[in-house]
Structure formats: structure tokens, C-alpha cells
Amino acid sequence: MLALVAGGVIYHEFDPAMSVFFPKCPIYATTGLQCPSCGIQRAMHLMLHGSFVEAFRYNWYLLLVFPYVALIVVAELFSVEKLRRVLYSNPVLIAYLVSYFLWFALRNILHI
């Protein structure tokens, strides 16, 4: 929990687009292709400042990832076993992986 708070403070205070100490995407650096996660650091910074629309412009996949991760956090923090079973079930994990790779293809084909 402390690491989550510390990460939140760092992403709130420092803009990944302007700071040199944030890691750059190795896939983009070597291939020029945007991975499914490209833009998430900048998006997190914007979300912590309340700029949700602008954050989602950096990475549309956040529209799917953000609620999924929020549900995982709720399930883990409050020990909601039923929710855990659903979130970690094979069909949900497979759907997530398929959507991840579809987003990888779409964002590079459509340049979004």
C-alpha cells in the first residue's frame, strides 16, 4: 500500500513527458511501434491531476484497463472472494490478453 501511495505522489509531482528518470518504452525505442501500454505513464500523471479525457487520449486502452485494475484493487483490499474468482478466471484473463494484443495491432495500424 505504501508503494502505491509513493508511486502516486511521484506520478503526481513529476510529469513523465518532461522528466528523464521515467523509463521509456523499449518496444517503441527499438521498433517505432507503440506497445499497448505506451502513454500510460503520462496518462497516470494527467489522471492524478483530474484530466481524465486528456489521459484517455494518450492511451484509449485505459478505458478497459482502468475499471479492471480498480476492481482488482477493491477485491484485494476488501477480500471480496467472489469478485477475485471472476477477475482471475481463465475466460476473463484470456479476454484481457486478446484485447491487449488487438489494441497493440489497432493502435499501430490506425496510428492512435
Side-chain angles (χ1 to χ4, degrees), residues 17-100:
M18 302 296 183
S19 300
V20 294
F21 62 89
F22 286 95
K24 304 299 180 213
C25 179
I27 293 172
Y28 184 74
T30 57
T31 67
L33 296 173
Q34 291 188 29
C35 80
S37 301
C38 277
I40 285 184
Q41 292 184 98
R42 291 168 290 179
M44 283 191 311
H45 174 75
L46 290 167
M47 284 191 288
L48 289 169
H49 287 275
S51 301
F52 290 96
V53 173
E54 193 176 343
F56 289 123
R57 286 186 188 138
Y58 272 108
N59 193 323
W60 295 1
Y61 195 62
L62 285 174
L63 293 170
L64 177 68
V65 172
F66 191 67
Y68 182 67
V69 171
L71 286 172
I72 288 173
V73 169
V74 167
E76 295 300 329
L77 282 178
F78 299 107
S79 299
V80 183
E81 193 56 40
K82 225 177 186 181
L83 183 56
R84 267 192 204 147
R85 278 196 305 270
V86 171
L87 293 172
Y88 298 132
S89 69
N90 283 340
V92 171
L93 293 174
I94 290 168
Y96 182 83
L97 281 173
V98 168
S99 71
Y100 187 82

